Amino acid sequence: GAAMAHGHGPGRCRCCGEEAAERGAAWGLYLRIDRQRLQCLNERREGSGATVFRPWEERGDRSQFVESDDDEELLFNIPFTGSVKLKGVIVMGEDDGTHPAEMRLFRNIPHMSFDDTAKEPEQTFSLSRDPLGELEYPTKIARFSNVYHLSMHFPKNFGAETTKIFYIGLKGEWTEAHRHEVTICNYEASANPADHKLEQITPQTHFIS
């Protein structure tokens, strides 16, 4: 009966914190990006493109952003650590001319260059200025159901010389890549020492029932 005292009754409503946490979890695909191979072309400061992929709760951190260099174009090459079903995107910038005005998504074309952006994208979005990261752009899920590499091309902005992006949110589902041999080896390598330790400490648990 003691445990019951700590439980919340079924009539208890969900608090805002829980809903925010759930919403944040939905935007967790940034955790599945292969950061070593993430590229942002035409970024003014090296490595700044990677900073826009962060937790949804931290989207308001305006110290982290990417700005384009030579012109207003930005191109992200985003490899994932498995297969992704991409469902939605958030793009957050300044409430001015530096905000990207268009987003073009390509799937499974690793190492895209600006020359490659002449290809037909899987989907193109007209963007609205979104200084708070509130607008969600839904993808055509059928086209983005097996994505191991996503390229995001921002060809133009609202009239400034350079483009600035503070946060990009990626919403969807992630599935582990099927590389069985690797998984099994890793598992055995990490499991064995623990097993042996357990036997030394608790020999009495090895019953034969």
Side-chain angles (χ1 to χ4, degrees):
M4 285 299 292
H6 298 289
H8 303 303
R12 197 170 175 282
C13 68
R14 289 217 320 227
C15 52
C16 310
E18 268 177 52
E19 282 191 8
E22 262 181 43
R23 175 136 196 228
W27 295 93
L29 279 185
Y30 72 94
L31 292 166
R32 306 301 187 181
I33 293 171
D34 181 348
R35 298 247 168 201
Q36 301 302 312
R37 290 166 44 230
L38 174 68
Q39 281 183 314
C40 179
L41 305 186
N42 197 34
E43 58 184 8
R44 176 169 291 187
R45 206 174 72 248
E46 196 179 334
S48 57
T51 66
V52 304
F53 299 98
R54 57 181 187 268
W56 182 79
E57 297 80 20
E58 293 172 23
R59 66 194 182 287
D61 176 2
R62 298 191 97 70
S63 67
Q64 301 193 70
F65 63 88
V66 61
E67 186 172 4
S68 63
D69 192 13
D70 294 334
D71 54 23
E72 73 276 27
E73 281 189 88
L74 281 169
L75 174 62
F76 292 88
N77 279 316
I78 307 159
F80 294 105
T81 57
S83 172
V84 163
K85 181 188 283 187
L86 183 68
K87 297 179 172 181
V89 180
I90 290 176
V91 179
M92 180 178 150
E94 293 274 30
D95 198 5
D96 63 17
T98 63
H99 195 294
E102 188 180 293
M103 169 173 67
R104 305 166 75 234
L105 300 183
F106 299 83
R107 64 177 273 257
N108 301 345
I109 311 175
H111 309 297
M112 275 189 78
S113 67
F114 282 109
D115 291 343
D116 298 325
T117 60
K119 296 178 185 180
E120 190 61 35
E122 297 290 338
Q123 196 170 354
T124 301
F125 300 84
S126 290
L127 302 180
S128 302
R129 289 192 185 100
D130 185 13
L132 299 174
E134 295 172 326
L135 301 175
E136 179 180 333
Y137 298 94
T139 58
K140 296 173 180 160
I141 295 175
R143 293 192 182 181
F144 295 97
S145 60
N146 183 19
V147 180
Y148 57 85
H149 185 284
L150 176 70
S151 298
M152 310 180 83
H153 178 220
F154 297 93
K156 56 179 194 258
N157 59 23
F158 286 96
E161 300 215 337
T162 59
T163 296
K164 273 170 107 168
I165 298 175
F166 286 88
Y167 168 80
I168 294 177
L170 302 174
K171 181 164 105 174
E173 296 165 18
W174 176 83
T175 317
E176 202 162 345
H178 294 295
R179 294 213 301 270
H180 291 296
E181 322 77 43
V182 182
T183 323
I184 291 163
C185 300
N186 289 349
Y187 172 71
E188 287 179 355
S190 59
N192 283 346
D195 289 354
H196 295 173
K197 218 176 284 171
L198 198 70
E199 285 168 28
Q200 291 159 14
I201 302 165
T202 54
Q204 72 276 20
T205 54
H206 291 274
F207 291 83
I208 296 166
S209 49

